[in-house]
Amino acid sequence: METISYQDVNRHVIDKCREGDNRAQYELYKLYSKAMFNVSMRITNDYSEAEDVLQEAFISAFKNLHTYKGEAAFGSWLKKIVVNAAINAIRKRRSELVPMDERTIIDIPDETFEDDSEWKVEKVRKAIMKLPDGYRVVLSLYLLEGFDHAEIGEILGVTESTSKSQYSRAKKKLLEIMKEPQFVA
């Protein structure tokens, strides 16, 4: 059976970047910076820190472009760099994941609400930003960035079960925040 290799639509730009073409680097930056800033912002929850993370991630990506093998989309490869840079920024802040006993994994059932119209996207986004760093990071990586718990565990240096617990507790805390008077009204 023949193996089919992934072809990135921006391959020509990536190749020019590898050759040191500054215009190609700028073009690649323009293509991905907004999406990668949003990833960074969701994790760091700080605009200026997210900007710093974005710049650091692109510098790292351009410096290590030779390691990109083209086996997946360039955006996926870059996203991992951004996620790691954002997590490192949080660690530099001396924040830690909310401590927990790995043995206490609970399953929070998804609640249904009679009136979904009150649960607006903006309210949810603001509530997510109120979560402690550890909860927000795991929730963002799982729900918004599409990483599974094994990947999150690897990224954060925790076990898969810790990631699952953090996610479960984050959902519970998010629901508590959403029920606060300023969110319900």
Side-chain angles (χ1 to χ4, degrees):
M1 178 175 239
E2 186 178 326
T3 305
I4 299 173
S5 122
Y6 178 82
Q7 292 294 317
D8 199 310
V9 294
N10 297 312
R11 184 70 181 190
H12 65 285
V13 178
I14 294 165
D15 289 341
K16 287 185 180 269
C17 287
R18 284 185 173 139
E19 296 167 6
D21 185 329
N22 290 337
R23 285 184 182 168
Q25 288 178 338
Y26 181 65
E27 185 176 343
L28 207 57
Y29 178 84
K30 286 190 325 187
L31 286 169
Y32 291 97
S33 62
K34 185 175 181 177
M36 295 304 133
F37 174 79
N38 290 334
V39 169
S40 178
M41 185 66 189
R42 284 190 293 265
I43 294 172
T44 64
N45 195 26
D46 181 271
Y47 192 89
S48 62
E49 192 169 36
E51 288 179 323
D52 291 344
V53 163
L54 180 69
Q55 297 309 314
E56 180 185 317
F58 269 98
I59 289 169
S60 177
F62 291 138
K63 182 177 162 187
N64 295 298
L65 201 52
H66 64 280
T67 66
Y68 173 64
K69 304 294 183 209
E71 295 167 350
F74 178 78
S76 297
W77 181 80
L78 181 60
K79 184 189 226 182
K80 288 182 182 181
I81 294 171
V82 171
V83 166
N84 285 322
I87 290 168
N88 287 338
I90 289 174
R91 286 182 178 144
K92 286 179 187 173
R93 272 195 246 153
R94 300 227 173 242
S95 293
E96 296 180 358
L97 288 174
V98 177
M100 62 173 39
D101 183 352
E102 288 185 31
R103 292 171 288 158
T104 58
I105 298 175
I106 54 174
D107 186 37
I108 308 293
D110 291 332
E111 295 185 30
T112 56
F113 299 95
E114 291 179 27
D115 186 5
D116 285 344
S117 65
E118 290 188 36
W119 294 79
K120 305 265 187 232
V121 172
E122 186 61 21
K123 287 182 179 181
V124 173
R125 187 191 66 74
K126 286 180 180 178
I128 289 172
M129 293 304 137
K130 288 186 77 172
L131 288 171
D133 285 343
Y135 287 170
R136 190 184 64 257
V137 168
V138 171
L139 187 87
S140 294
L141 290 175
Y142 186 78
L143 282 182
L144 305 175
E145 307 307 331
F147 289 98
D148 64 32
H149 290 293
E151 293 170 320
I152 294 168
E154 187 177 316
I155 289 168
L156 298 177
V158 298
T159 65
E160 183 176 345
S161 63
T162 298
S163 174
K164 288 177 181 178
S165 294
Q166 288 283 90
Y167 174 69
S168 180
R169 291 172 187 230
K171 285 192 324 184
K172 183 178 180 184
K173 181 69 176 172
L174 184 61
L175 288 172
E176 288 172 13
I177 292 170
M178 293 296 296
K179 291 177 183 176
E180 291 176 1
Q182 70 268 23
F183 287 99
V184 175

